[in-house]
Amino acid sequence: MTQRPYIVGNWKMNGSRTMLAEARSIDRAAQRYPDVEIALAPPFTLIDALREAVSAIGVGGQDCHAEVKGAHTGDVSAAMLADIGADFVIVGHSERRRDHKESNAAVRAKAKAALAAGLGVILCVGETLAERDAGKAEAVVGKQIDGSLPKGEGIVEAIAAARLAIAYEPVWAIGTGRVAAIEDVIAMHAAVRARLIAAFGDSHAKVRILYGGSVNGENAGALLAAEGVEGALVGGASLTADAFLPIIAAASRPID
Ligand code: 13P
């Protein structure tokens, strides 16, 4: 059975309580698109309130700590996210790899903790412009995948339950208005899929590969129709219902 496309809004460090109105509008509209799985990842401060405000869409965090609890001032664990009703967490976003020097090993530990807490995981990978220009994009992303995919006991079962997605987000396409060329997106998604097959065998089919980087209502149709693109991780264009809903509509296939 094919899975639904997955459209996720990453609000990053944006959002105040007034933006719950946007989430409510997105949630109401989401009910018209049952063939699309839709979710929002607001800042930690809004997860609880957003969870209360919506019913048709998923709610997740943008990061988690790898430990369950302890002396880690300012951090939030996957178990704490699960406790307040989060469905998933994003790990390894390039902004965290950059701002917090997160290594592949650290990202893997977070992904593992999140799956163990019963959360879904969106694991982000992507190359910089210098890496792409040097012809190293696939090698860099391959190394990120191999180094940060969760491993160990129970992981294959979690993945078979469709709790893992990969987001390919070329760093140079994030927040720049510059979208990767469709043929490059197709090639990279195929390369990621090959790594998933090598890592997880038959369970790989349950892992959706999303594209992220300047997705908007205008370009979403072409991106989501591209081979191997099973959803989108959207930043700026997920902050309002007006901007986000056309992306959801683009992911929706007419029901026969
Ligand atoms: P933009 O859609 O703003 O480019 O951000 C993409 C992103 O980083 C989503 O995680």
Side-chain angles (χ1 to χ4, degrees):
M1 201 181 96
T2 54
Q3 294 188 82
R4 292 183 295 169
Y6 193 21
I7 305 296
V8 183
N10 172 10
W11 280 7
K12 308 192 179 186
M13 199 172 72
N14 299 291
S16 55
R17 292 184 64 83
T18 53
M19 271 176 66
L20 293 172
E22 296 295 336
R24 277 193 200 93
S25 303
I26 291 166
D27 186 59
R28 265 195 307 277
Q31 297 169 28
R32 297 200 304 270
Y33 301 102
D35 58 334
V36 183
E37 186 174 348
I38 303 160
L40 287 175
F44 287 137
T45 50
L46 289 178
I47 292 176
D48 201 17
L50 206 142
R51 169 83 286 165
E52 293 295 314
V54 302
S55 58
I57 66 172
V59 181
Q62 300 170 13
D63 178 50
C64 65
H65 196 278
E67 304 289 332
V68 173
K69 63 182 169 66
H72 300 288
T73 302
D75 279 315
V76 170
S77 75
M80 292 161 120
L81 289 174
D83 182 53
I84 56 163
D87 303 299
F88 71 96
V89 63
I90 299 169
V91 298
H93 193 283
S94 62
E95 287 152 13
R96 292 208 60 88
R97 291 178 187 262
R98 180 196 67 204
D99 295 351
H100 300 274
K101 311 274 179 293
E102 289 187 5
S103 65
N104 286 328
V107 173
R108 167 178 281 159
K110 289 173 184 226
K112 227 178 130 177
L115 291 177
L119 296 176
V121 167
I122 300 175
L123 168 61
C124 301
V125 292
E127 82 285 356
T128 63
L129 189 55
E131 288 162 345
R132 174 154 290 275
D133 287 347
K136 293 183 183 155
E138 282 189 23
V140 167
V141 169
K143 208 169 155 195
Q144 289 174 338
I145 292 274
D146 289 349
S148 52
L149 267 186
K151 278 187 175 169
E153 213 184 312
I155 299 300
V156 169
E157 291 75 12
I159 288 161
R163 290 205 280 121
L164 178 70
I166 307 292
Y168 167 54
E169 300 203 306
V171 175
W172 47 273
I174 294 176
T176 58
R178 235 184 111 182
V179 184
I182 297 283
E183 59 268 28
D184 291 339
V185 174
I186 292 172
M188 188 63 85
H189 280 230
V192 172
R193 180 60 65 192
R195 301 261 169 179
L196 292 173
I197 292 170
F200 302 125
D202 288 347
S203 304
H204 82 91
K206 290 289 184 82
V207 183
R208 283 171 292 190
I209 308 175
L210 322 180
Y211 170 80
S214 296
V215 177
N216 60 35
E218 261 110 72
N219 59 31
L223 284 163
L224 291 163
E227 169 132 32
V229 178
E230 290 145 342
L233 185 54
V234 184
S238 70
L239 294 172
T240 62
D242 280 354
F244 198 39
L245 293 178
I247 299 171
I248 295 167
S252 175
R253 299 182 193 102
I255 299 163
D256 302 324

